[in-house]
Amino acid sequence: MANENLGNAKKAKNDEFYTQFSDIQKEMNAYLEYNPDVFRGKIVLLPCDDPEWSNFTKYFAQNFETLGLKKLISTSYAPDSKPHDIPYQPTLFEMDSPGFDPEKTQTRGKIFTLSKDTTGDKVINVDDLEWDYLEGGGDFRSEEITKLRDEADIIVTNPPFSLFREFLAWLVEADKDFVIIGNMNAITYKEVFPLIKDNKMWLGATNFNVGMYFFVPENFVYAPTYKFEREIDGKKASRVPGVCWFTTLDHGRRHEPLSLMSMADNIKFSRHKEIRGIGYSTYINCDAIEIPYTDAIPSDQLGAMGVPITFLDKYNPDQFEILKFRHGDDGKDLRLSDGSCPYFRILIKHKQVSS
């Protein structure tokens, strides 16, 4: 379920949730372990990331040579395009730069690029970032940012929560590789699930049951029920459970097979009381069995199975085929014999049934 803080942020259009460096590094390492050259020779675009705040920019700039990047492009939104209770104050970094223009700083986004050694120290890193003002406010939907998208090979960012659908469509339109953050409930969106089903997009390497802490602005208002840490390394933070990475880059965890028991063994030994000693329920509007927990998938089931959306965190496309989402043969929500509708089931089947 969506976190209340995230819901409040969407309603208020307060989308300034900043990803921690450690979470970015952990996720990127998974792609690098599977393919060390995944970023080599590539142009990476970070279209929602002011380098003065964004750890995405810091990560890729700091590791520019290690990753073998060809070019890094990072853009930010103009202060006037974001809601602020506190008037925007340019940083010393911006004001001390030769290109600083007080007439542009409020209404223009910024673009930072990295492709060469500008300091003369024979190393390309964060110190070599060059910046300028954009012509517009930095909205990813603008012609200016869309041209940068078309130039890039891989797009990586934490897009605005309230614009996730639009941002994903913007990526898919260009047929670009990407790594982005979103809430796990996005899996249920009509714009998202078909991409997962057709193996055009999948979940990243970080298990979404962990939840992630994001840095938030000082004026961020916590939900009354918030019970987690409110500060990390001296910065205001908020935990958002059910957050996951969506990507087109492959990683090893995606190809780890689930270790499963036979149907008979599940009925005898399952730790789930819904199955142990009882067996599996079936749907009245679909020839499939109900699987309430991913670890209860039987290894020898020949036909279709309805599994919770959390299954996708363990989904191995070499082991399973995704059939469809949520609906039975009559086009209505899957229903059990008692008339109840289990919450958001994905119909799957084994690609090769174990004997």
Side-chain angles (χ1 to χ4, degrees), residues 3-264:
N3 174 265
E4 190 173 353
N5 279 319
L6 179 57
N8 289 344
K10 290 177 71 174
K11 291 176 185 177
K13 303 298 183 184
N14 179 7
D15 290 342
E16 295 186 71
F17 278 57
Y18 299 105
T19 315
Q20 293 189 77
F21 188 96
S22 58
D23 288 330
I24 297 167
Q25 185 175 48
K26 177 183 176 183
E27 184 69 18
M28 298 307 137
N29 281 347
Y31 306 123
L32 291 165
E33 288 170 5
Y34 188 81
N35 177 10
D37 295 323
V38 64
F39 294 109
R40 190 164 301 282
K42 302 294 176 62
I43 298 175
V44 172
L45 171 65
L46 316 172
C48 309
D49 299 274
D50 191 327
E52 296 173 71
W53 306 105
S54 169
N55 282 317
F56 281 99
T57 307
K58 292 175 183 176
Y59 170 82
F60 282 101
Q62 179 175 305
N63 294 284
F64 187 92
E65 292 191 340
T66 301
L67 298 173
L69 294 182
K70 177 181 179 180
K71 186 178 182 180
L72 177 65
I73 307 170
S74 179
T75 64
S76 66
Y77 288 96
D80 277 0
S81 68
K82 301 185 289 184
H84 283 283
D85 295 332
I86 302 173
Y88 174 73
Q89 175 62 44
T91 63
L92 290 175
F93 168 82
E94 184 178 355
M95 291 189 294
D96 288 345
S97 299
F100 174 64
D101 186 337
E103 294 184 2
K104 295 179 180 179
T105 191
Q106 196 75 21
T107 59
R108 303 277 191 91
K110 301 189 194 76
I111 179 170
F112 290 71
T113 57
L114 179 62
S115 61
K116 58 186 178 182
D117 172 22
T118 62
T119 61
D121 61 0
K122 299 182 180 180
V123 177
I124 303 176
N125 58 25
V126 68
D127 295 330
D128 299 298
L129 280 167
E130 300 178 276
W131 78 276
D132 200 350
Y133 294 105
L134 292 165
E135 292 299 317
D139 191 311
F140 68 86
R141 296 162 293 190
S142 67
E143 181 179 353
E144 186 176 20
I145 305 303
T146 297
K147 286 182 178 179
L148 296 176
R149 176 202 67 180
D150 295 342
E151 177 187 354
D153 299 298
I154 304 173
I155 291 89
V156 186
T157 194
N158 177 6
F161 291 130
S162 60
L163 297 174
F164 183 85
R165 282 184 171 94
E166 288 185 68
F167 189 82
L168 180 62
W170 183 75
L171 295 175
V172 172
E173 176 187 59
D175 193 25
K176 297 291 183 177
D177 281 321
F178 58 84
V179 186
I180 61 175
I181 293 176
N183 190 271
M184 64 174 277
N185 284 343
I187 293 167
T188 67
Y189 297 168
K190 63 180 181 180
E191 303 91 345
V192 174
F193 186 78
L195 297 173
I196 296 175
K197 177 183 179 296
D198 295 339
N199 210 30
K200 295 179 179 178
M201 179 182 80
W202 44 87
L203 299 192
T206 302
N207 189 310
F208 62 49
N209 290 321
V210 176
M212 289 172 60
Y213 278 93
F214 294 88
F215 294 125
V216 294
E218 284 301 316
N219 60 344
F220 180 81
V221 179
Y222 291 99
T225 56
Y226 189 75
K227 301 176 181 179
F228 303 99
E229 292 179 54
R230 301 187 179 209
E231 187 175 286
I232 296 176
D233 297 331
K235 298 179 182 178
K236 197 170 184 178
S238 178
R239 182 180 182 272
V240 182
V243 169
C244 56
W245 298 78
F246 294 92
T247 186
T248 58
L249 301 185
D250 221 342
H251 55 85
R253 196 166 76 86
R254 183 169 174 258
H255 297 284
E256 293 176 0
L258 271 174
S259 179
L260 305 171
M261 295 192 296
S262 68
M263 182 176 289

